[in-house]
PDB file of all heavy atoms in Angstrom:
ATOM      1  N   VAL P   1      41.218  73.989  -4.261  1.00 87.00           N
ATOM      2  CA  VAL P   1      40.489  74.498  -3.130  1.00 87.00           C
ATOM      3  C   VAL P   1      39.736  75.751  -3.568  1.00 87.00           C
ATOM      4  O   VAL P   1      40.317  76.657  -4.119  1.00 87.00           O
ATOM      5  CB  VAL P   1      41.402  74.839  -1.933  1.00 87.00           C
ATOM      6  CG1 VAL P   1      40.612  75.451  -0.795  1.00 87.00           C
ATOM      7  CG2 VAL P   1      42.122  73.549  -1.482  1.00 87.00           C
ATOM      8  N   GLN P   2      38.460  75.731  -3.278  1.00 90.00           N
ATOM      9  CA  GLN P   2      37.581  76.829  -3.669  1.00 90.00           C
ATOM     10  C   GLN P   2      37.050  77.539  -2.403  1.00 90.00           C
ATOM     11  O   GLN P   2      36.511  76.906  -1.515  1.00 90.00           O
ATOM     12  CB  GLN P   2      36.433  76.352  -4.520  1.00 90.00           C
ATOM     13  CG  GLN P   2      35.475  77.421  -5.028  1.00 90.00           C
ATOM     14  CD  GLN P   2      35.966  78.007  -6.337  1.00 90.00           C
ATOM     15  OE1 GLN P   2      36.256  77.233  -7.275  1.00 90.00           O
ATOM     16  NE2 GLN P   2      36.047  79.308  -6.383  1.00 90.00           N
ATOM     17  N   LEU P   3      37.193  78.851  -2.366  1.00 94.00           N
ATOM     18  CA  LEU P   3      36.619  79.659  -1.322  1.00 94.00           C
ATOM     19  C   LEU P   3      35.500  80.501  -1.926  1.00 94.00           C
ATOM     20  O   LEU P   3      35.690  81.155  -2.953  1.00 94.00           O
ATOM     21  CB  LEU P   3      37.660  80.579  -0.687  1.00 94.00           C
ATOM     22  CG  LEU P   3      38.845  79.911   0.015  1.00 94.00           C
ATOM     23  CD1 LEU P   3      39.767  80.983   0.591  1.00 94.00           C
ATOM     24  CD2 LEU P   3      38.352  79.018   1.150  1.00 94.00           C
ATOM     25  N   VAL P   4      34.375  80.512  -1.250  1.00 94.00           N
ATOM     26  CA  VAL P   4      33.212  81.215  -1.745  1.00 94.00           C
ATOM     27  C   VAL P   4      32.735  82.184  -0.673  1.00 94.00           C
ATOM     28  O   VAL P   4      32.332  81.744   0.429  1.00 94.00           O
ATOM     29  CB  VAL P   4      32.066  80.292  -2.168  1.00 94.00           C
ATOM     30  CG1 VAL P   4      30.865  81.074  -2.696  1.00 94.00           C
ATOM     31  CG2 VAL P   4      32.549  79.292  -3.249  1.00 94.00           C
ATOM     32  N   GLU P   5      32.747  83.474  -0.990  1.00 96.00           N
ATOM     33  CA  GLU P   5      32.268  84.516  -0.077  1.00 96.00           C
ATOM     34  C   GLU P   5      30.797  84.822  -0.348  1.00 96.00           C
ATOM     35  O   GLU P   5      30.320  84.675  -1.510  1.00 96.00           O
ATOM     36  CB  GLU P   5      33.089  85.764  -0.217  1.00 96.00           C
ATOM     37  CG  GLU P   5      34.532  85.627   0.151  1.00 96.00           C
ATOM     38  CD  GLU P   5      35.461  85.747  -1.020  1.00 96.00           C
ATOM     39  OE1 GLU P   5      35.010  85.472  -2.178  1.00 96.00           O
ATOM     40  OE2 GLU P   5      36.637  86.144  -0.838  1.00 96.00           O
ATOM     41  N   SER P   6      30.101  85.304   0.659  1.00 96.00           N
ATOM     42  CA  SER P   6      28.743  85.768   0.498  1.00 96.00           C
ATOM     43  C   SER P   6      28.490  86.865   1.538  1.00 96.00           C
ATOM     44  O   SER P   6      29.196  86.956   2.537  1.00 96.00           O
ATOM     45  CB  SER P   6      27.734  84.658   0.633  1.00 96.00           C
ATOM     46  OG  SER P   6      27.795  84.056   1.902  1.00 96.00           O
ATOM     47  N   GLY P   7      27.435  87.619   1.318  1.00 97.00           N
ATOM     48  CA  GLY P   7      27.013  88.632   2.288  1.00 97.00           C
ATOM     49  C   GLY P   7      27.360  90.051   1.973  1.00 97.00           C
ATOM     50  O   GLY P   7      26.938  90.957   2.700  1.00 97.00           O
ATOM     51  N   GLY P   8      28.138  90.266   0.926  1.00 97.00           N
ATOM     52  CA  GLY P   8      28.496  91.623   0.554  1.00 97.00           C
ATOM     53  C   GLY P   8      27.280  92.382  -0.004  1.00 97.00           C
ATOM     54  O   GLY P   8      26.295  91.770  -0.369  1.00 97.00           O
ATOM     55  N   GLY P   9      27.460  93.691  -0.107  1.00 98.00           N
ATOM     56  CA  GLY P   9      26.395  94.489  -0.640  1.00 98.00           C
ATOM     57  C   GLY P   9      26.491  95.939  -0.275  1.00 98.00           C
ATOM     58  O   GLY P   9      27.592  96.390   0.102  1.00 98.00           O
ATOM     59  N   LEU P  10      25.408  96.635  -0.370  1.00 98.00           N
ATOM     60  CA  LEU P  10      25.382  98.083  -0.094  1.00 98.00           C
ATOM     61  C   LEU P  10      24.736  98.289   1.279  1.00 98.00           C
ATOM     62  O   LEU P  10      23.687  97.763   1.589  1.00 98.00           O
ATOM     63  CB  LEU P  10      24.567  98.802  -1.181  1.00 98.00           C
ATOM     64  CG  LEU P  10      24.319 100.302  -1.008  1.00 98.00           C
ATOM     65  CD1 LEU P  10      25.630 101.053  -1.046  1.00 98.00           C
ATOM     66  CD2 LEU P  10      23.333 100.792  -2.017  1.00 98.00           C
ATOM     67  N   VAL P  11      25.382  99.114   2.062  1.00 98.00           N
ATOM     68  CA  VAL P  11      24.885  99.445   3.414  1.00 98.00           C
ATOM     69  C   VAL P  11      25.177 100.908   3.731  1.00 98.00           C
ATOM     70  O   VAL P  11      26.131 101.486   3.208  1.00 98.00           O
ATOM     71  CB  VAL P  11      25.539  98.542   4.473  1.00 98.00           C
ATOM     72  CG1 VAL P  11      27.020  98.771   4.578  1.00 98.00           C
ATOM     73  CG2 VAL P  11      24.830  98.687   5.806  1.00 98.00           C
ATOM     74  N   GLN P  12      24.303 101.508   4.518  1.00 98.00           N
ATOM     75  CA  GLN P  12      24.533 102.887   4.923  1.00 98.00           C
ATOM     76  C   GLN P  12      25.574 102.987   6.012  1.00 98.00           C
ATOM     77  O   GLN P  12      25.784 102.054   6.787  1.00 98.00           O
ATOM     78  CB  GLN P  12      23.215 103.493   5.449  1.00 98.00           C
ATOM     79  CG  GLN P  12      22.123 103.665   4.418  1.00 98.00           C
ATOM     80  CD  GLN P  12      20.875 104.318   4.976  1.00 98.00           C
ATOM     81  OE1 GLN P  12      20.682 104.387   6.200  1.00 98.00           O
ATOM     82  NE2 GLN P  12      20.062 104.903   4.105  1.00 98.00           N
ATOM     83  N   ALA P  13      26.240 104.114   6.052  1.00 98.00           N
ATOM     84  CA  ALA P  13      27.214 104.369   7.125  1.00 98.00           C
ATOM     85  C   ALA P  13      26.540 104.220   8.488  1.00 98.00           C
ATOM     86  O   ALA P  13      25.416 104.636   8.690  1.00 98.00           O
ATOM     87  CB  ALA P  13      27.789 105.772   6.975  1.00 98.00           C
ATOM     88  N   GLY P  14      27.266 103.534   9.385  1.00 98.00           N
ATOM     89  CA  GLY P  14      26.718 103.248  10.700  1.00 98.00           C
ATOM     90  C   GLY P  14      25.973 101.908  10.766  1.00 98.00           C
ATOM     91  O   GLY P  14      25.702 101.458  11.877  1.00 98.00           O
ATOM     92  N   GLY P  15      25.763 101.321   9.619  1.00 98.00           N
ATOM     93  CA  GLY P  15      25.063 100.037   9.602  1.00 98.00           C
ATOM     94  C   GLY P  15      25.984  98.856   9.731  1.00 98.00           C
ATOM     95  O   GLY P  15      27.160  98.999  10.012  1.00 98.00           O
ATOM     96  N   SER P  16      25.422  97.679   9.503  1.00 98.00           N
ATOM     97  CA  SER P  16      26.146  96.449   9.674  1.00 98.00           C
ATOM     98  C   SER P  16      25.980  95.493   8.522  1.00 98.00           C
ATOM     99  O   SER P  16      24.944  95.502   7.820  1.00 98.00           O
ATOM    100  CB  SER P  16      25.680  95.732  10.964  1.00 98.00           C
ATOM    101  OG  SER P  16      25.886  96.522  12.111  1.00 98.00           O
ATOM    102  N   LEU P  17      26.969  94.653   8.295  1.00 98.00           N
ATOM    103  CA  LEU P  17      26.925  93.559   7.384  1.00 98.00           C
ATOM    104  C   LEU P  17      27.656  92.369   7.992  1.00 98.00           C
ATOM    105  O   LEU P  17      28.547  92.526   8.779  1.00 98.00           O
ATOM    106  CB  LEU P  17      27.593  93.891   6.045  1.00 98.00           C
ATOM    107  CG  LEU P  17      26.830  94.717   5.020  1.00 98.00           C
ATOM    108  CD1 LEU P  17      27.738  95.021   3.814  1.00 98.00           C
ATOM    109  CD2 LEU P  17      25.597  93.982   4.534  1.00 98.00           C
ATOM    110  N   ARG P  18      27.265  91.175   7.540  1.00 98.00           N
ATOM    111  CA  ARG P  18      27.906  89.947   8.001  1.00 98.00           C
ATOM    112  C   ARG P  18      28.348  89.159   6.772  1.00 98.00           C
ATOM    113  O   ARG P  18      27.491  88.744   5.947  1.00 98.00           O
ATOM    114  CB  ARG P  18      27.002  89.082   8.819  1.00 98.00           C
ATOM    115  CG  ARG P  18      27.643  87.831   9.428  1.00 98.00           C
ATOM    116  CD  ARG P  18      26.688  87.127  10.360  1.00 98.00           C
ATOM    117  NE  ARG P  18      27.243  85.939  10.960  1.00 98.00           N
ATOM    118  CZ  ARG P  18      27.979  85.920  12.081  1.00 98.00           C
ATOM    119  NH1 ARG P  18      28.211  87.049  12.759  1.00 98.00           N
ATOM    120  NH2 ARG P  18      28.456  84.782  12.603  1.00 98.00           N
ATOM    121  N   LEU P  19      29.658  89.015   6.603  1.00 98.00           N
ATOM    122  CA  LEU P  19      30.225  88.236   5.484  1.00 98.00           C
ATOM    123  C   LEU P  19      30.476  86.811   5.911  1.00 98.00           C
ATOM    124  O   LEU P  19      30.795  86.530   7.074  1.00 98.00           O
ATOM    125  CB  LEU P  19      31.523  88.866   4.991  1.00 98.00           C
ATOM    126  CG  LEU P  19      31.484  90.358   4.632  1.00 98.00           C
ATOM    127  CD1 LEU P  19      32.855  90.773   4.107  1.00 98.00           C
ATOM    128  CD2 LEU P  19      30.430  90.638   3.588  1.00 98.00           C
ATOM    129  N   SER P  20      30.337  85.893   4.957  1.00 98.00           N
ATOM    130  CA  SER P  20      30.633  84.497   5.192  1.00 98.00           C
ATOM    131  C   SER P  20      31.543  84.025   4.104  1.00 98.00           C
ATOM    132  O   SER P  20      31.516  84.511   2.991  1.00 98.00           O
ATOM    133  CB  SER P  20      29.332  83.666   5.175  1.00 98.00           C
ATOM    134  OG  SER P  20      28.434  84.075   6.184  1.00 98.00           O
ATOM    135  N   CYS P  21      32.369  83.016   4.449  1.00 96.00           N
ATOM    136  CA  CYS P  21      33.271  82.424   3.468  1.00 96.00           C
ATOM    137  C   CYS P  21      33.466  80.947   3.841  1.00 96.00           C
ATOM    138  O   CYS P  21      33.807  80.642   5.023  1.00 96.00           O
ATOM    139  CB  CYS P  21      34.603  83.148   3.411  1.00 96.00           C
ATOM    140  SG  CYS P  21      35.755  82.439   2.201  1.00 96.00           S
ATOM    141  N   ALA P  22      33.291  80.064   2.892  1.00 92.00           N
ATOM    142  CA  ALA P  22      33.476  78.640   3.144  1.00 92.00           C
ATOM    143  C   ALA P  22      34.407  78.054   2.104  1.00 92.00           C
ATOM    144  O   ALA P  22      34.318  78.342   0.937  1.00 92.00           O
ATOM    145  CB  ALA P  22      32.132  77.949   3.129  1.00 92.00           C
ATOM    146  N   ALA P  23      35.298  77.186   2.574  1.00 87.00           N
ATOM    147  CA  ALA P  23      36.162  76.431   1.712  1.00 87.00           C
ATOM    148  C   ALA P  23      35.485  75.114   1.299  1.00 87.00           C
ATOM    149  O   ALA P  23      34.880  74.461   2.167  1.00 87.00           O
ATOM    150  CB  ALA P  23      37.492  76.136   2.363  1.00 87.00           C
ATOM    151  N   SER P  24      35.565  74.772   0.058  1.00 83.00           N
ATOM    152  CA  SER P  24      34.930  73.558  -0.409  1.00 83.00           C
ATOM    153  C   SER P  24      35.725  72.303  -0.081  1.00 83.00           C
ATOM    154  O   SER P  24      36.939  72.323   0.043  1.00 83.00           O
ATOM    155  CB  SER P  24      34.685  73.641  -1.915  1.00 83.00           C
ATOM    156  OG  SER P  24      35.937  73.694  -2.615  1.00 83.00           O
ATOM    157  N   GLY P  25      35.007  71.174   0.083  1.00 69.00           N
ATOM    158  CA  GLY P  25      35.633  69.903   0.264  1.00 69.00           C
ATOM    159  C   GLY P  25      35.899  69.575   1.691  1.00 69.00           C
ATOM    160  O   GLY P  25      36.612  70.314   2.397  1.00 69.00           O
ATOM    161  N   ARG P  26      35.345  68.459   2.180  1.00 60.00           N
ATOM    162  CA  ARG P  26      35.617  68.036   3.538  1.00 60.00           C
ATOM    163  C   ARG P  26      37.023  67.494   3.716  1.00 60.00           C
ATOM    164  O   ARG P  26      37.456  67.353   4.912  1.00 60.00           O
ATOM    165  CB  ARG P  26      34.569  66.999   3.971  1.00 60.00           C
ATOM    166  CG  ARG P  26      33.165  67.561   4.130  1.00 60.00           C
ATOM    167  CD  ARG P  26      32.263  66.567   4.814  1.00 60.00           C
ATOM    168  NE  ARG P  26      32.741  66.183   6.143  1.00 60.00           N
ATOM    169  CZ  ARG P  26      32.561  66.888   7.214  1.00 60.00           C
ATOM    170  NH1 ARG P  26      31.893  68.021   7.192  1.00 60.00           N
ATOM    171  NH2 ARG P  26      33.000  66.450   8.404  1.00 60.00           N
ATOM    172  N   THR P  27      37.713  67.169   2.691  1.00 66.00           N
ATOM    173  CA  THR P  27      39.099  66.707   2.785  1.00 66.00           C
ATOM    174  C   THR P  27      40.080  67.825   3.101  1.00 66.00           C
ATOM    175  O   THR P  27      41.232  67.547   3.527  1.00 66.00           O
ATOM    176  CB  THR P  27      39.532  65.975   1.490  1.00 66.00           C
ATOM    177  OG1 THR P  27      39.419  66.924   0.396  1.00 66.00           O
ATOM    178  CG2 THR P  27      38.707  64.790   1.219  1.00 66.00           C
ATOM    179  N   PHE P  28      39.686  69.054   2.919  1.00 76.00           N
ATOM    180  CA  PHE P  28      40.571  70.193   3.200  1.00 76.00           C
ATOM    181  C   PHE P  28      40.458  70.557   4.681  1.00 76.00           C
ATOM    182  O   PHE P  28      39.376  70.725   5.216  1.00 76.00           O
ATOM    183  CB  PHE P  28      40.193  71.399   2.352  1.00 76.00           C
ATOM    184  CG  PHE P  28      41.027  72.594   2.610  1.00 76.00           C
ATOM    185  CD1 PHE P  28      42.310  72.681   2.100  1.00 76.00           C
ATOM    186  CD2 PHE P  28      40.522  73.656   3.375  1.00 76.00           C
ATOM    187  CE1 PHE P  28      43.095  73.805   2.350  1.00 76.00           C
ATOM    188  CE2 PHE P  28      41.321  74.764   3.630  1.00 76.00           C
ATOM    189  CZ  PHE P  28      42.606  74.847   3.100  1.00 76.00           C
ATOM    190  N   SER P  29      41.628  70.697   5.300  1.00 84.00           N
ATOM    191  CA  SER P  29      41.708  71.090   6.715  1.00 84.00           C
ATOM    192  C   SER P  29      42.636  72.323   6.787  1.00 84.00           C
ATOM    193  O   SER P  29      43.809  72.243   6.386  1.00 84.00           O
ATOM    194  CB  SER P  29      42.256  69.994   7.569  1.00 84.00           C
ATOM    195  OG  SER P  29      42.325  70.349   8.920  1.00 84.00           O
ATOM    196  N   SER P  30      42.097  73.390   7.295  1.00 90.00           N
ATOM    197  CA  SER P  30      42.888  74.637   7.346  1.00 90.00           C
ATOM    198  C   SER P  30      43.409  74.921   8.727  1.00 90.00           C
ATOM    199  O   SER P  30      42.833  74.500   9.748  1.00 90.00           O
ATOM    200  CB  SER P  30      42.024  75.815   6.836  1.00 90.00           C
ATOM    201  OG  SER P  30      40.996  76.136   7.774  1.00 90.00           O
TER     202      SER P  30
END
């Protein structure tokens, strides 16, 4: 099972970020 995150980075204080993470494979049910 592979989990892949995205959306990280550099942001100023008071700002916003949105992280995403998806597990690979449609056979996996969490």
